[in-house]
Amino acid sequence: MGLGNYTLPAGTVVAYAGRVVGPDGTHEELGIAEVRKFGWMVCDGTSLDKNQYPALYMALGGLYGEDEATFNLPNYSGYFLRATNVREGKDPDQRDAPEGGAENDPGSTQGFALQAHEHTYTMAQAGTVGSAQSAAATAVPGQQTTGILPETVKTSDNETRPVNIYVHYLIKFI
């Protein structure tokens, strides 16, 4: 698979919308065979033989773990990918180094975080039954409160996240 006269190098990662792993987490052989036919594998942390995949090992080295004979693919399950930012200074928080690299290397991670902030809301006053105000609350001028979340804000006990959609991340191995 290439782009015109150019071939994508080993280590290139792309988002793939097809099914290669079933809902139970096991590989679907048809999907795996199809992406491998074009030189791609799922970024699922699989351990590979260094001699069998030399181009990919040259690109990744031991960033995601290795021993004498094998190295690991990255495992992007459950992560939002973010471009490196070594020179720009737009990522001020500490990153954790990948197993075989440094904190600014590809593969470094950050835990979830929610930037310190506060919300100010105007308190609402309910109308009386049968009035025009009963269908919707109206604001009380000058009455403010901090930190109360309105009923329409969705929260999660597990994570802070943007709207998202699942894809498989594939990595080129040839």
Side-chain angles (χ1 to χ4, degrees):
M1 179 186 265
L3 301 173
N5 293 330
Y6 302 99
T7 301
L8 298 173
T12 298
V13 173
V14 298
Y16 179 68
R19 182 178 281 167
V20 294
V21 178
D24 63 353
T26 59
H27 288 223
E28 292 186 348
E29 291 308 314
L30 180 61
I32 292 294
E34 188 66 20
V35 297
R36 284 199 176 181
K37 178 170 64 175
F38 292 102
W40 298 87
M41 285 189 244
V42 178
C43 293
D44 63 0
T46 297
S47 182
L48 301 173
D49 185 292
K50 291 177 182 180
N51 294 320
Q52 190 174 352
Y53 299 96
L56 186 55
Y57 179 65
M58 185 180 294
L60 299 179
L63 277 176
Y64 303 95
E66 70 177 321
D67 60 28
E68 287 183 28
T70 65
F71 69 103
N72 297 341
L73 292 176
N75 185 351
Y76 292 151
S77 301
Y79 284 101
F80 291 97
L81 299 189
R82 183 177 185 174
T84 60
N85 186 41
V86 176
R87 292 183 217 153
E88 297 296 320
K90 295 178 182 174
D91 188 7
D93 292 335
Q94 176 75 29
R95 301 188 63 76
D96 296 323
E99 187 173 327
E103 70 179 43
N104 287 324
D105 278 342
S108 63
T109 58
Q110 288 176 316
F112 74 89
L114 183 61
Q115 187 175 6
H117 66 286
E118 70 178 48
H119 300 272
T120 302
Y121 300 97
T122 302
M123 297 271 296
Q125 174 181 326
T128 59
V129 175
S131 73
Q133 295 177 338
S134 65
T138 58
V140 177
Q143 192 174 18
Q144 306 247 329
T145 186
T146 300
I148 298 174
L149 295 175
E151 299 268 337
T152 57
V153 173
K154 293 183 180 180
T155 61
S156 168
D157 290 336
N158 301 316
E159 62 184 353
T160 299
R161 65 179 176 270
V163 173
N164 64 84
I165 189 166
Y166 271 178
V167 295
H168 292 288
Y169 286 109
L170 302 181
I171 190 164
K172 186 80 169 161
F173 66 83
I174 53 174

